Amino acid sequence: MRAQFVLQEIWIGLRRNLTMTIALVVTVAIAMALFGTGVLLKMQVDKSNNYWSDKVEVSVYLCNKLSANPACRKTEPSQDEKNQIRSQLQSMPQVASVTPETQKQAYERAKERFKDTPGFSDTIQLGDIPDSFRVKLKDPKQYAAVVAQMNGRAGVDQVINERAILEKFFKILGGLQWAALIIAAIQVIAAVLLVANTIRLSAFNRRRETGIMRLVGASNLYIQLPFVLEGAIAGLIGGLFAAVLLGFSKVFLLGRLTKNLQFATELGWLDVTQVIVFSVCFGVVLCSLASFLTLRRYLKI
């Protein structure tokens, strides 16, 4: 088998069907970019979930003069009432630890956490966040018992479960992930159809050459290899364009998401590189397989 002949046939096929080849490359690039973005969002959700799963807490906020809860009557609980609330929390089997937090401590922690959000950090004032107890649970999923006992208790303004906030955030990311994967699946189907049409057209244009090769005893592999490599090269070029698009997704989508949302854990470039390599390989295999299956049916003489 002469490599020069195979390369020459590949060049002829790509040149004759240049418009369809470009359409195929663009479709593969978009499909692999969307597929990779969906995978990156899935990794973002999993990584953030794993990071925060043992750090989420239940915050029990006490009444103060600014409380909107009518049961608080715009008054703060006495020290004895605070001690009773803390003792009740510590006695619960679901609770691992209870940490009191004063208004000043809450103010300083909020300023530090939201220092990159000027619109929020500049408006918050000392006293806006009341005294509270930060409750660490043995199992973050067992927050319902703590919330049930603290809601409506004398001296308690409101109970905030951080896990519920995180779950809403993860649902948003999950929705974006599935949207990207569904669109990618549609693009993959379009890419497969384009590969089939491109290879079928290329085989039709060279039907005389393939017929002569068949008559002189050329093997199926020798005849089919240039067509399969055409699809593989188109898939490789599309995958490389997808790699560039995934780099933009890392910087402009996931990067801004991590910066603007405090709960998001940043993905490293190593994670992105793994997704890029997988997407490129998937694009090449997809186009090669579609070409091979198309040829098996079309080149039967």
Side-chain angles (χ1 to χ4, degrees), residues 75-299:
T75 58
E76 298 183 3
S78 64
Q79 188 60 46
D80 288 340
E81 290 177 319
K82 293 180 181 179
N83 294 336
Q84 291 175 8
I85 295 172
R86 182 175 183 178
S87 298
Q88 182 178 353
L89 288 170
Q90 291 174 334
S91 65
M92 296 181 185
Q94 299 86 0
V95 174
S97 64
V98 179
T99 304
E101 185 174 71
T102 63
Q103 294 182 11
K104 183 177 180 180
Q105 290 172 333
Y107 171 75
E108 292 174 351
R109 188 167 65 89
K111 293 287 286 187
E112 175 64 25
R113 172 175 287 188
F114 299 100
K115 62 183 179 181
D116 296 327
T117 311
F120 179 84
S121 60
D122 294 341
T123 57
I124 188 173
Q125 301 294 327
L126 180 63
D128 290 345
I129 305 176
D131 295 339
S132 65
F133 291 110
R134 303 186 61 81
V135 182
K136 182 79 172 179
L137 301 177
K138 296 177 181 178
D139 182 359
K141 296 180 181 179
Q142 297 181 350
Y143 60 86
V146 178
V147 175
Q149 292 197 39
M150 288 294 106
N151 267 332
R153 194 193 189 285
V156 175
D157 183 9
Q158 59 179 330
V159 182
I160 302 297
N161 174 36
E162 293 181 354
R163 185 177 181 85
I165 300 175
L166 289 175
E167 285 177 350
K168 293 179 180 178
F169 164 71
F170 292 143
K171 284 181 179 179
I172 294 174
L173 287 184
L176 292 175
Q177 167 207 335
W178 281 111
L181 290 178
I182 290 173
I183 298 175
I186 297 173
Q187 291 289 336
V188 165
I189 295 173
V192 170
L193 295 176
L194 269 176
V195 170
N197 288 333
T198 303
I199 297 303
R200 187 180 295 113
L201 182 60
S202 180
F204 178 79
N205 290 334
R206 285 181 280 173
R207 62 190 183 280
R208 176 180 294 180
E209 291 91 332
T210 56
I212 294 173
M213 293 171 64
R214 179 78 70 182
L215 290 175
V216 299
S219 65
N220 288 334
L221 177 62
Y222 191 76
I223 297 174
Q224 294 177 358
L225 186 59
F227 298 99
V228 175
L229 290 179
E230 284 180 29
I233 291 173
L236 176 61
I237 297 173
L240 294 178
F241 278 112
V244 176
L245 294 176
L246 286 172
F248 281 108
S249 294
K250 165 66 173 71
V251 175
F252 295 105
L253 176 61
L254 298 179
R256 292 184 178 180
L257 186 69
T258 304
K259 183 178 180 180
N260 295 329
L261 296 177
Q262 300 295 322
F263 299 122
T265 304
E266 185 175 3
L267 286 178
W269 279 104
L270 179 60
D271 298 321
V272 179
T273 302
Q274 292 174 348
V275 174
I276 287 175
V277 172
F278 179 78
S279 299
V280 172
C281 294
F282 182 73
V284 172
V285 172
L286 177 71
C287 293
S288 301
L289 185 60
S291 301
F292 176 74
L293 294 177
T294 302
L295 287 170
R296 286 190 62 184
R297 178 181 178 185
Y298 188 83
L299 288 183

Side-chain angles (χ1 to χ4, degrees), residues 13-66:
L14 293 176
R15 187 183 60 186
R16 284 181 178 177
N17 306 302
L18 183 60
T19 304
M20 293 194 68
T21 301
I22 293 175
L24 175 60
V25 168
V26 172
T27 303
V28 171
I30 295 174
M32 294 303 99
L34 289 170
F35 174 76
T37 301
V39 174
L40 287 176
L41 286 171
K42 179 66 166 60
M43 294 173 66
Q44 177 86 69
V45 172
D46 292 341
K47 191 171 184 178
S48 299
N49 198 6
N50 292 335
Y51 177 80
W52 287 103
S53 60
D54 59 344
K55 296 178 176 61
V56 293
E57 298 174 333
V58 173
S59 297
V60 180
Y61 291 98
L62 305 180
C63 295
N64 68 356
K65 296 179 181 179
L66 300 177

